[in-house]
Amino acid sequence: MITPKRLFDFAYYQLEQYPLERMMTSKVGSSWVSISTRDFVEQMKLVSRGLISLGLEPGERVALITHASRHEWDILDNAVMQAGAVDVPIYPTMMPDDCEYILN
Protein backbone atom coordinates (compact mmCIF):
# COMPACT_ATOMS: atom_id res chain seq x y z
CA MET A 1 0.00 0.00 0.00
CA ILE A 2 1.23 3.48 -0.88
CA THR A 3 1.72 5.87 2.02
CA PRO A 4 1.57 9.44 0.72
CA LYS A 5 4.66 11.46 1.66
CA ARG A 6 4.69 14.02 -1.15
CA LEU A 7 1.80 15.88 -2.75
CA PHE A 8 1.94 13.88 -5.98
CA ASP A 9 1.73 10.62 -3.99
CA PHE A 10 -1.93 11.31 -3.21
CA ALA A 11 -3.00 10.59 -6.79
CA TYR A 12 -1.27 7.19 -6.62
CA TYR A 13 -2.85 6.53 -3.23
CA GLN A 14 -6.28 7.40 -4.59
CA LEU A 15 -5.72 5.17 -7.62
CA GLU A 16 -4.75 2.26 -5.38
CA GLN A 17 -7.37 2.72 -2.67
CA TYR A 18 -10.28 4.79 -4.01
CA PRO A 19 -10.10 5.19 -7.81
CA LEU A 20 -12.68 7.55 -9.21
CA GLU A 21 -14.13 7.75 -12.69
CA ARG A 22 -14.51 11.49 -12.08
CA MET A 23 -11.50 12.55 -10.05
CA MET A 24 -11.71 16.11 -11.36
CA THR A 25 -14.10 18.04 -13.54
CA SER A 26 -13.15 21.21 -15.42
CA LYS A 27 -15.12 23.58 -17.58
CA VAL A 28 -13.80 23.67 -21.13
CA GLY A 29 -15.67 26.22 -23.19
CA SER A 30 -19.31 25.60 -22.38
CA SER A 31 -18.84 21.91 -21.49
CA TRP A 32 -17.74 20.11 -18.36
CA VAL A 33 -14.95 17.56 -18.88
CA SER A 34 -14.01 14.94 -16.27
CA ILE A 35 -10.83 12.95 -15.78
CA SER A 36 -10.51 9.66 -13.90
CA THR A 37 -7.87 8.95 -11.30
CA ARG A 38 -6.24 6.45 -13.68
CA ASP A 39 -6.05 8.99 -16.51
CA PHE A 40 -4.73 11.66 -14.16
CA VAL A 41 -1.91 9.41 -12.96
CA GLU A 42 -1.06 8.23 -16.49
CA GLN A 43 -0.94 11.80 -17.81
CA MET A 44 1.12 12.92 -14.81
CA LYS A 45 3.66 10.14 -15.54
CA LEU A 46 3.85 11.06 -19.23
CA VAL A 47 4.39 14.75 -18.48
CA SER A 48 7.04 13.98 -15.83
CA ARG A 49 8.93 11.74 -18.24
CA GLY A 50 8.62 14.35 -20.97
CA LEU A 51 10.02 17.10 -18.74
CA ILE A 52 12.93 14.90 -17.71
CA SER A 53 13.64 13.92 -21.33
CA LEU A 54 13.71 17.63 -22.19
CA GLY A 55 16.50 18.06 -19.65
CA LEU A 56 14.63 19.23 -16.54
CA GLU A 57 16.91 18.69 -13.54
CA PRO A 58 15.88 18.14 -9.91
CA GLY A 59 15.57 21.43 -8.07
CA GLU A 60 15.03 23.51 -11.21
CA ARG A 61 12.05 25.84 -11.24
CA VAL A 62 9.15 25.69 -13.69
CA ALA A 63 6.75 28.64 -13.97
CA LEU A 64 3.11 27.66 -14.38
CA ILE A 65 0.83 30.34 -15.78
CA THR A 66 -2.87 29.91 -16.47
CA HIS A 67 -6.02 31.95 -16.56
CA ALA A 68 -8.36 29.01 -15.96
CA SER A 69 -8.66 26.40 -13.24
CA ARG A 70 -8.50 23.14 -15.19
CA HIS A 71 -7.22 19.65 -14.56
CA GLU A 72 -4.35 20.17 -17.03
CA TRP A 73 -2.83 22.65 -14.57
CA ASP A 74 -3.10 20.10 -11.76
CA ILE A 75 -1.49 17.41 -13.93
CA LEU A 76 1.41 19.71 -14.79
CA ASP A 77 1.74 20.87 -11.18
CA ASN A 78 2.03 17.29 -9.93
CA ALA A 79 4.25 16.21 -12.84
CA VAL A 80 6.75 19.00 -12.11
CA MET A 81 6.97 17.91 -8.47
CA GLN A 82 7.22 14.24 -9.45
CA ALA A 83 10.15 15.11 -11.74
CA GLY A 84 11.90 16.64 -8.72
CA ALA A 85 11.52 20.24 -9.83
CA VAL A 86 9.85 23.17 -8.08
CA ASP A 87 6.70 24.66 -9.55
CA VAL A 88 6.29 28.42 -9.45
CA PRO A 89 2.66 29.44 -9.94
CA ILE A 90 2.22 32.78 -11.69
CA TYR A 91 -1.17 34.42 -12.00
CA PRO A 92 -1.92 36.17 -15.31
CA THR A 93 -3.29 39.16 -13.38
CA MET A 94 0.10 39.85 -11.76
CA MET A 95 1.97 42.96 -12.74
CA PRO A 96 5.04 42.44 -14.97
CA ASP A 97 7.39 43.65 -12.20
CA ASP A 98 5.94 41.05 -9.81
CA CYS A 99 6.38 38.28 -12.39
CA GLU A 100 9.98 39.32 -13.01
CA TYR A 101 10.70 39.33 -9.26
CA ILE A 102 9.17 35.87 -8.79
CA LEU A 103 10.94 34.40 -11.81
CA ASN A 104 14.30 35.78 -10.68
Side-chain angles (χ1 to χ4, degrees):
M1 178 167 82
I2 293 173
T3 301
K5 294 180 182 149
R6 302 156 299 191
L7 285 175
F8 61 85
D9 290 335
F10 284 94
Y12 290 99
Y13 177 79
Q14 184 180 49
L15 180 61
E16 184 180 273
Q17 298 295 314
Y18 310 101
L20 298 171
E21 279 304 310
R22 283 196 245 175
M23 176 191 182
M24 301 180 114
T25 301
S26 303
K27 192 162 189 177
V28 180
S30 60
S31 301
W32 290 94
V33 178
S34 297
I35 185 170
S36 69
T37 307
R38 179 168 307 287
D39 288 343
F40 183 93
V41 168
E42 288 305 314
Q43 290 178 31
M44 180 175 63
K45 287 182 197 177
L46 288 172
V47 173
S48 291
R49 289 180 192 136
L51 291 169
I52 292 167
S53 73
L54 289 170
L56 184 67
E57 297 284 335
E60 286 187 316
R61 293 171 290 195
V62 176
L64 305 178
I65 303 171
T66 186
H67 68 279
S69 180
R70 293 184 29 182
H71 62 264
E72 291 91 349
W73 190 94
D74 290 296
I75 291 167
L76 184 55
D77 178 45
N78 281 270
V80 167
M81 290 185 283
Q82 183 172 253
V86 178
D87 62 339
V88 182
I90 304 284
Y91 295 95
T93 56
M94 294 175 116
M95 299 303 292
D97 289 346
D98 294 331
C99 292
E100 182 178 355
Y101 175 79
I102 290 168
L103 292 171
N104 288 326

